[in-house]
């Protein structure tokens, strides 16, 4: 990826460093699709069919065709040899009734991708607030459904009222392996920059 600064080449036989990444966002924004798209292993899914029990609880406005939902988490893995890391991806459940699990999934995570659907941007505020309040670095991924995105990154960032105006807002298609990989590399860039910032200040 242009502009991605890989660290020193991995030594022969050295194991990639494990990095836990969360993939979060509102209900139906494409988290499961993103994990499935990029995972080098058969992803673990905890999807169940939507039933009449969810009527009045799960908001299907705008996603009426959705028939299944994640009830625990999605899990996938991606090895980035050039960066010397292996990413463990944990997709969070999107419905409010399962948000109590987010703090458990947060344990050990170094960063997150917050997926948003600009057609239903209000459903993205809880995920943004969650990571901002806990100080976990994240990038925003605006999922371009049907290959279209009517808003610019600047407009999306402003609408989300991001506390840090430098939080990256990226356009992506969760079905595109190239897009998803690029977003993960952008997140790694952010994590490296934040890790180096204290050293730069003290130096």
């Amino acid at each position: 990826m242009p502009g991605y600064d890989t660290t020193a080449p991995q030594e022969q036989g050295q194991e990639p460093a494990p990095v836990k990444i969360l993939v979060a966002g509102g209900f139906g924004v494409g988290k499961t699709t993103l994990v499935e798209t990029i995972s080098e292993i058969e992803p673990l899914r905890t999807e169940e069919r939507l039933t009449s029990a969810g009527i009045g609880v799960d908001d299907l406005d705008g996603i009426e065709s959705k028939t299944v939902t994640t009830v625990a988490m999605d899990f996938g893995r991606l090895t980035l040899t050039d960066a010397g890391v292996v990413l463990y991806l944990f997709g969070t459940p999107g419905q409010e009734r399962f948000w109590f699990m987010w703090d458990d999934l947060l344990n050990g995570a170094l960063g997150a991708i917050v997926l948003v659907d600009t057609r239903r941007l209000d459903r993205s505020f809880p995920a943004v607030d969650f990571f901002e309040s806990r100080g976990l670095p994240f990038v925003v991924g605006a999922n371009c459904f049907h290959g279209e995105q009517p808003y610019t990154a600047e407009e999306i960032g402003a609408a989300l009222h991001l506390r840090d105006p430098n939080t990256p807002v990226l356009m992506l298609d969760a079905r595109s392996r190239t897009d998803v990989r690029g977003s993960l590399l952008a997140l790694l860039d952010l994590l490296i920059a934040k890790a180096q910032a204290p050293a730069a200040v003290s130096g």
Side-chain angles (χ1 to χ4, degrees):
M1 176 181 176
Y4 182 67
D5 181 20
T6 57
T7 55
Q10 196 174 347
E11 295 180 9
Q12 188 73 22
Q14 181 180 350
E15 290 295 323
V19 176
K20 180 179 179 181
I21 299 296
L22 299 186
V23 180
F27 184 40
V29 296
K31 300 180 296 295
T32 298
T33 299
L34 185 148
V35 174
E36 289 177 341
T37 295
I38 201 65
S39 180
E40 65 193 14
I41 62 172
E42 181 68 24
L44 168 68
R45 308 175 188 87
T46 56
E47 290 188 320
E48 295 292 342
R49 292 192 63 81
L50 291 168
T51 67
S52 58
I55 296 176
V57 179
D58 297 327
D59 184 4
L60 293 175
D61 185 32
I63 49 172
E64 290 82 2
S65 62
K66 187 172 177 61
T67 59
V68 296
T69 184
T70 299
V71 296
M73 67 174 183
D74 300 308
F75 173 76
R77 186 188 72 199
L78 175 66
T79 301
L80 296 174
T81 306
D82 53 349
V85 299
V86 56
L87 303 181
Y88 294 97
L89 307 174
F90 291 79
T92 66
Q95 306 97 307
E96 186 173 354
R97 56 194 166 117
F98 295 125
W99 287 352
F100 68 91
M101 302 174 62
W102 285 30
D103 273 313
D104 288 336
L105 290 173
L106 183 69
N107 186 35
L110 295 187
I113 292 179
V114 176
L115 273 185
V116 303
D117 178 355
T118 56
R119 301 170 302 178
R120 301 173 294 122
L121 199 60
D122 58 307
R123 303 181 192 183
S124 305
F125 292 130
V128 170
D129 290 343
F130 177 84
F131 293 117
E132 287 184 335
S133 66
R134 285 154 178 81
L136 189 76
F138 66 93
V139 300
V140 174
N143 198 0
C144 300
F145 290 87
H146 310 298
E148 300 175 354
Q149 183 52 259
Y151 304 103
T152 66
E154 291 75 18
E155 289 172 330
I156 295 169
L160 289 172
H161 303 291
L162 299 169
R163 292 182 192 173
D164 182 355
N166 295 318
T167 299
V169 178
L170 313 168
M171 304 299 181
L172 64 86
D173 184 334
R175 301 165 300 179
S176 165
R177 185 175 180 86
T178 299
D179 285 5
V180 174
R181 189 177 189 276
S183 299
L184 290 169
L185 291 177
L187 176 58
L188 287 179
D189 277 339
L190 178 66
L191 297 179
I192 291 170
K194 287 185 176 295
Q196 293 175 341
V201 171
S202 61

